[in-house]
Amino acid sequence: EAELLARVNASDVLLLGEVHDNPLHHEYQQKLLKARIDSGARPALMMEQLDAETQPALDQALAGSDRDDVLNHVSALIKFTEWQLYQPLLTIAVDNKLPVIAANVSSQHLQPAIWRGYSAYDADELKRLAVEQVWNENRQNFLARNMGGAHCVKIGDELREGLSLSQRLRDAMMADSAVSSIARGVVAIVGSSHARRDIGLPLYFAA
């Protein structure tokens, strides 16, 4: 544990992958976020559980002066069924005046990738996000296999390919939402697959 905390406190970006409804994962996330703060850092809390479109409303809520009112407004923006599991993390952020980044990309924004591929998006923007630069055939094969498992393998090859493209774009855009906060430090709360070094957010943060 001491070695883990030392690595946590030396990190610019701390990716805490989770199974969303696992209470133990949330307990560990709170402990590690507190450890990061106790080291003197004031990192941004990046959350997949908040859609990027809610960022203006989130910032407005966080600017409030009444703690309970702030927490109620911020919690209401979480669309996950298990939203109560994230209240302790948000409480830590509010009490320590941490910025909170709404990182998730809406399904509506990703639909074109699923059905039309990356041709539906601006080529220069995709290049800036390093969507293709970080990718290779081995990563694609692995992601496609896992995408099938996530959907009980009851999807066709075309949909599997589209979902893989959308997953990559989601990771690239989530990383992009937080990259400007790296100087102060980022603690990211994301699903476990997004935290993987071989196919997830670390690729895009590095790029």
Side-chain angles (χ1 to χ4, degrees):
E1 183 173 335
E3 180 182 351
L4 171 62
L5 293 178
R7 292 179 62 183
V8 163
N9 292 334
S11 67
D12 295 317
V13 179
L14 178 62
L15 296 171
L16 301 180
E18 66 175 24
V19 173
H20 297 306
D21 60 354
N22 188 320
L24 188 59
H25 290 187
H26 294 276
E27 180 183 327
Y28 289 153
Q29 289 168 349
Q30 295 160 38
K31 183 172 184 176
L32 294 175
L33 177 59
K34 288 177 180 177
R36 194 76 184 92
I37 294 170
D38 290 344
S39 75
R42 288 297 179 270
L45 178 63
M46 168 185 163
M47 297 188 68
E48 180 196 355
Q49 297 74 23
L50 291 162
D51 285 348
E53 289 84 355
T54 68
Q55 190 69 57
L58 176 61
D59 291 340
Q60 183 177 1
L62 290 171
S65 56
D66 184 277
R67 177 178 180 271
D68 291 339
D69 192 47
V70 169
L71 286 170
N72 286 334
H73 278 87
V74 173
S75 296
L77 297 173
I78 295 179
K79 296 181 178 180
F80 279 47
T81 304
E82 302 85 9
W83 61 269
Q84 296 96 333
L85 293 173
Y86 299 95
Q87 279 191 313
L89 281 168
L90 291 169
T91 299
I92 295 170
V94 169
D95 287 347
N96 290 277
K97 301 188 184 307
L98 306 182
V100 180
I101 300 170
N104 193 39
V105 184
S106 68
S107 297
Q108 181 179 2
H109 189 85
L110 295 172
Q111 285 296 319
I114 295 174
W115 301 113
R116 304 203 307 274
Y118 290 153
S119 63
Y121 299 89
D122 181 76
D124 289 338
E125 179 67 1
L126 292 174
K127 184 176 181 180
R128 185 186 71 80
L129 293 170
V131 174
E132 296 289 6
Q133 294 93 307
V134 304
W135 211 243
N136 59 43
E137 184 177 359
N138 288 337
R139 286 176 175 145
Q140 179 57 33
N141 290 338
F142 180 86
L143 181 58
R145 287 197 305 272
N146 277 265
M147 194 63 66
H151 294 268
C152 304
V153 202
K154 296 179 180 178
I155 58 176
D157 289 342
E158 183 177 356
L159 180 54
R160 187 194 310 271
E161 175 68 18
L163 289 170
S164 299
L165 292 174
S166 70
Q167 174 90 342
R168 290 166 53 192
L169 185 57
R170 185 191 299 273
D171 282 338
M173 295 183 72
M174 286 202 296
D176 189 58
S177 72
V179 72
S180 62
S181 298
I182 287 178
R184 70 177 299 150
V186 175
V187 175
I189 308 299
V190 295
S192 57
S193 64
H194 296 297
R196 291 184 62 114
R197 292 177 181 272
D198 53 352
I199 60 169
L201 285 161
L203 295 174
Y204 303 97
F205 273 115

